[in-house]
Amino acid sequence: MLRVILKTPIVLCLLCLSLSTFAQDIPPHMNQRPWVLGGYIINPNNNIAYKYYLTIYKGIIYAINSQKDFPIDNDGRLVFQDPFTSQQIVDENPLVLDESDFGGKIVIFPGLINMHGHMKYDVLPMWGLAKGQFGNRHQWRKWSRYKNAVSFNMRALRKPSPSAGNYGSEIAKINTCAAVRWSELTALTSGTTAMQGIANDKQCGRYWGAKNVELEEDWYDQRNVFATTDLVLPEFYEPVTTQYILPLIRQGIGTYWDAVQGLINMFTISEQLESSGEDPEDAWTDLPEGVETNKASRYAGWYEVKTRQSKWATLNEQIPSGLARTQIVHLSEGSRTDGYNRIEYPWARFLGLAKRGLTIIHGVGMDANDFSHAAANGVNLVWSPMSNLLLYGETLDVVTALQAGVNVSLGTDWSPTGTKHMLDELKIARRYLNAFEPQGAAVTDEMLVKMATENAAKALGLYDNNGDVTVGKIGLGKLADLMAIKVDDTSNSGGALYSALVNASQQDVALTVVGGNPVYGETRAMNEVGNKWDGNRNSIERLPLAARQDHRGAFNTCGEMAGAKAFRFPVKNTDIDQISGGALSSVQGIDNVLVNAFGTYAQNAPGGGASSSELEALPDGIDPMYNCEDADYQRRMYQYIPDEVFANKQAFGASEWKIQPLSNLPADYNFERDRQTMLSVAE
């Protein structure tokens, strides 16, 4: 029983500064009952792990104590003062999770934050034809075999066969939300408590599962986070930037904006705008036919107005004024030597967009000068090593970026060309550094863990009134987004325990806490949560699901791990739960929705308008949640570095994979000249 007793307000000075950062309205997915978690925590002052007990309430770490008997009194009650209301809280039968609930010692870390994803795509298996052969992201996007493996198969969420009309909006929404929630569930199994990449599907993740970077209410912070796929577009590079804008700059016209005005005047776009009375986008795209004119008008009316100026306002007005926290974009994604890929960061500078608050996903084409500029201007980077290596055969020069002082975080990208979860991304990062970077040892496992926690919080602008991050660290008044792993020995230094996390598997994850709620972990511990908070164990769901079925047969079982973990969802009455009739309120229900959607699509595809190459690309089923269910993934993941990277480099050059997105530029086009022109007038 939980009792609230009104008392004379007492100022808790240790908490007042931190808690004043947060709003008073408690989102429904934050824990409403206080509880205590005991485990080892690495002390940052001496890098040694000590046993502590965390008191967690309303999504926040309220107290940290070295003894279990506080705030538990002699009668076994949890008694403390609510830091938000100054009321005394008494829980007669409190939840206390300690070593006995996990079958041994645990080390508690901040929850992992995945800074790069495309969540609904995480139902697809790893794409077997990504062999490091591409120069930049615009090449594989245009390749028919990629479209078969990804775009073609994702139609299963919105139609029953390739040639059929779309489902009604309600069924499509249920299918899409099942895919998004599958991604969140997989993340939770790795101790990931927050994810980027929900895009336009926010209703699927609101108050459910892992936190979402783009959902402001998940963070006690109402400032906006903006995420977009592309900041610059190659379709405008050859016909507009190289033919008109850069030549005007070389003629001494002045700044980028001066060159855009010159472009507008060159094609009398301003007269078209004045005479039409239409929206600028409509007026400029309605110009007379003609490749150059049309491209120029689309650039000026669509890209300049709808994209560049919008991002400029975010970075130069909204973030400095406190209305937004960050702008997340894909930029410079490709190989380090690809001419176009190397031009994208200077291009962003030229456009006035490489500013504080910009968070760049990938940045592989950036060099030491770019990193120095990024560090000096507060530009963040997100590193996705597995995806980069699969697609381009190389990845971000992370050592040089860190040496320059750039804030670097970590992200998985998506299941077609990335890892399943953050634990695997940490391993790939470590293996890459060991195998390919001469100075890779300088990037310690502690630094890798910080990329997945504290550095991500910095990129997201999640700071308290003291200038420290509100999440990504364990401390008094921090958000209670936590994960814990089982360990045999806690006497080792913190460095060894950080390495234990980097080397951990899903089987080692003992607990995942989101918004103060224990949502996933050891079945024994989750049973205790169900008993204390729900009055029974029926509120939890044991995992991995036994002998999962897809439309072509059973997945591999996970042996001793089967049923060893469990989920508990604190909120089951969101709008999408009601629309789905509860089908999306359990793991089994989500699995059933996805298996039915993809199974129906695969069954209907042979007579439903699919080509032979599309049929060949049909997956065996949805991407399994656990590594132990996915033999193909395990084989490629754990042998990838260095074996496959070397093999791919030897096989590089197949002609059908040499796709050139800038087809009107000669093979020996001088991108370096463009780069220097842009930098000559860049902000």
Side-chain angles (χ1 to χ4, degrees):
M1 177 183 295
L2 185 68
R3 292 190 288 123
V4 178
I5 303 173
L6 294 176
K7 296 194 68 176
T8 302
I10 300 175
V11 177
L12 300 176
C13 292
L14 288 175
L15 278 177
C16 57
L17 286 175
S18 293
L19 293 180
S20 65
T21 305
F22 304 123
Q24 296 299 305
D25 294 331
I26 310 300
H29 57 317
M30 304 292 187
N31 69 302
Q32 305 297 313
R33 290 186 65 171
W35 63 289
V36 176
L37 173 63
Y40 286 83
I41 299 173
I42 300 170
N43 187 319
N45 296 320
N46 59 14
N47 220 27
I48 296 175
Y50 297 95
K51 182 69 176 288
Y52 289 102
Y53 291 88
L54 307 179
T55 302
I56 297 170
Y57 184 50
K58 293 185 177 179
I60 294 170
I61 299 173
Y62 163 78
I64 303 176
N65 301 286
S66 59
Q67 299 295 322
K68 188 176 181 179
D69 57 4
F70 181 83
I72 305 296
D73 68 10
N74 293 333
D75 296 322
R77 305 179 307 169
L78 178 59
V79 182
F80 70 97
Q81 182 179 324
D82 187 329
F84 289 96
T85 65
S86 299
Q87 299 172 340
Q88 187 180 65
I89 304 297
V90 179
D91 195 326
E92 306 282 357
N93 186 29
L95 171 68
V96 180
L97 296 181
D98 205 350
E99 291 181 4
S100 61
D101 299 297
F102 301 103
K105 295 178 179 179
I106 62 169
V107 179
I108 305 170
F109 292 94
L112 307 181
I113 302 174
N114 185 349
M115 281 293 291
H116 176 210
H118 303 273
M119 291 169 57
K120 65 186 174 187
Y121 290 86
D122 287 339
V123 293
L124 297 179
M126 186 176 283
W127 183 34
L129 295 180
K131 300 287 187 180
Q133 69 269 37
F134 302 105
N136 59 67
R137 68 187 182 280
H138 305 287
Q139 292 181 332
W140 54 264
R141 284 181 184 177
K142 295 185 177 183
W143 194 29
S144 61
R145 299 183 74 174
Y146 155 74
K147 294 178 180 179
N148 292 343
V150 177
S151 306
F152 169 75
N153 286 318
M154 285 300 290
R155 296 177 196 167
L157 298 178
R158 53 186 174 85
K159 55 173 55 184
S161 74
S163 61
N166 289 342
Y167 289 121
S169 60
E170 192 169 286
I171 294 177
K173 183 181 292 186
I174 291 170
N175 290 342
T176 298
C177 286
V180 169
R181 290 190 169 187
W182 189 257
S183 177
E184 292 196 27
L185 290 168
T186 304
L188 294 172
T189 68
S190 71
T192 299
T193 55
M195 309 175 69
Q196 186 274 331
I198 199 167
N200 296 321
D201 304 313
K202 293 182 178 181
Q203 76 277 14
C204 304
R206 184 164 278 115
Y207 306 139
W208 196 94
K211 289 183 176 180
N212 291 277
V213 163
E214 297 93 334
L215 286 175
E216 295 82 14
E217 60 265 37
D218 277 354
W219 306 99
Y220 280 112
D221 193 320
Q222 296 305 306
R223 292 174 298 161
N224 292 319
V225 171
F226 297 102
T228 188
T229 302
D230 294 308
L231 189 65
V232 295
L233 296 169
E235 67 179 277
F236 293 124
Y237 192 75
E238 183 273 329
V240 179
T241 302
T242 67
Q243 290 194 30
Y244 300 108
I245 292 180
L246 292 181
L248 288 170
I249 295 293
R250 293 180 185 121
Q251 293 169 20
I253 196 171
T255 66
Y256 163 77
W257 180 242
D258 293 328
V260 171
Q261 291 296 320
L263 176 71
I264 292 172
N265 294 332
M266 189 181 302
F267 290 104
T268 63
I269 296 171
S270 56
E271 297 176 12
Q272 185 80 9
L273 175 62
E274 292 171 2
S275 63
S276 69
E278 298 180 72
D279 177 88
E281 180 183 2
D282 296 330
W284 283 327
T285 54
D286 284 344
L287 286 174
E289 289 298 322
V291 175
E292 289 128 350
T293 303
N294 188 50
K295 284 288 186 181
S297 62
R298 285 193 68 239
Y299 182 91
W302 175 68
Y303 176 77
E304 173 60 29
V305 172
K306 299 291 185 178
T307 301
R308 193 200 74 88
Q309 290 185 25
S310 171
K311 303 301 180 291
W312 191 95
T314 298
L315 294 163
N316 290 275
E317 296 173 356
Q318 294 190 48
I319 291 176
S321 68
L323 295 176
R325 289 189 275 116
T326 190
Q327 171 70 65
I328 302 172
V329 299
H330 291 66
L331 195 74
S332 197
E333 179 190 350
S335 74
R336 297 184 189 180
T337 57
D338 180 77
Y340 172 76
N341 197 44
R342 292 189 69 249
I343 205 74
E344 285 204 340
Y345 187 77
W347 195 1
R349 286 184 60 184
F350 178 58
L351 298 176
L353 301 177
K355 297 293 186 68
R356 183 172 302 279
L358 181 67
T359 296
I360 294 173
I361 297 170
H362 300 302
V364 185
M366 295 171 65
D367 63 14
N369 292 329
D370 296 331
F371 294 139
S372 295
H373 180 272
N377 288 274
V379 175
N380 307 289
L381 279 169
V382 180
W383 185 29
S384 294
M386 184 63 171
S387 181
N388 296 156
L389 292 167
L390 278 168
L391 289 166
Y392 314 113
E394 51 192 7
T395 188
L396 172 74
D397 185 356
V398 68
V399 174
T400 302
L402 291 170
Q403 290 173 343
V406 181
N407 179 55
V408 181
S409 55
L410 203 65
T412 61
D413 206 334
W414 58 353
S415 61
T417 63
T419 54
K420 282 185 187 293
H421 48 74
M422 287 290 284
L423 290 179
D424 282 353
E425 200 69 26
L426 284 166
K427 293 178 185 60
I428 287 292
R430 179 75 274 157
R431 292 174 193 166
Y432 168 78
L433 289 165
N434 292 345
F436 292 103
E437 288 289 349
Q439 296 178 302
V443 183
T444 65
D445 287 342
E446 179 179 357
M447 293 169 70
L448 289 177
V449 172
K450 285 188 175 181
M451 287 183 196
T453 53
E454 183 178 350
N455 291 8
K458 291 177 179 178
L460 293 173
L462 291 167
Y463 290 98
D464 61 23
N465 293 337
N466 297 319
D468 196 10
V469 291
T470 60
V471 71
K473 296 171 71 173
I474 297 176
L476 198 65
K478 304 295 184 188
L479 293 177
D481 297 328
L482 307 165
M483 65 92 69
I485 60 170
K486 297 183 290 185
V487 296
D488 295 326
D489 186 2
T490 57
S491 64
N492 293 316
S493 68
L497 295 175
Y498 286 118
S499 297
L501 178 56
V502 171
N503 294 318
S505 68
Q506 289 167 301
Q507 187 167 352
D508 298 316
V509 176
L511 188 67
T512 304
V513 179
V514 180
N517 275 303
V519 294
Y520 172 82
E522 293 287 301
T523 298
R524 187 186 318 182
M526 298 308 295
N527 278 338
E528 183 68 8
V529 178
N531 287 334
K532 292 286 188 179
W533 285 2
D534 306 316
N536 59 71
R537 299 180 180 182
N538 295 331
S539 60
I540 71 163
E541 190 171 6
R542 297 184 68 175
L543 293 170
L545 296 173
R548 286 193 59 248
Q549 296 286 325
D550 63 26
H551 62 280
R552 296 184 180 178
F555 280 117
N556 298 331
T557 58
C558 290
E560 295 180 358
M561 189 181 172
K565 311 293 182 181
F567 278 107
R568 174 187 179 271
F569 301 116
V571 179
K572 294 187 176 182
N573 60 349
T574 67
D575 290 343
I576 194 62
D577 287 303
Q578 296 176 12
I579 291 172
S580 70
L584 301 184
S585 301
S586 69
V587 182
Q588 186 65 70
I590 293 167
D591 182 72
N592 291 342
V593 169
L594 291 171
V595 168
N596 179 67
F598 280 90
T600 299
Y601 187 76
Q603 183 177 0
N604 293 336
S611 67
S612 59
S613 58
E614 288 171 333
L615 293 175
E616 183 181 345
L618 283 170
D620 290 339
I622 61 172
D623 194 52
M625 187 182 301
Y626 288 89
N627 291 19
C628 56
E629 296 176 301
D630 195 339
D632 290 340
Y633 171 83
Q634 286 192 90
R635 183 164 48 252
R636 196 169 188 196
M637 161 70 195
Y638 291 107
Q639 295 178 2
Y640 190 74
I641 293 178
D643 298 349
E644 187 180 324
V645 174
F646 287 126
N648 287 346
K649 286 183 179 297
Q650 292 175 352
F652 179 81
S655 59
E656 70 167 310
W657 293 347
K658 289 282 191 176
I659 302 168
Q660 175 56 263
L662 305 171
S663 56
N664 292 329
L665 291 177
D668 59 350
Y669 182 78
N670 190 353
F671 283 99
E672 185 58 31
R673 181 178 182 234
D674 288 356
R675 178 185 173 92
Q676 295 305 320
T677 300
M678 291 176 179
L679 293 178
S680 69
V681 295
E683 295 183 29

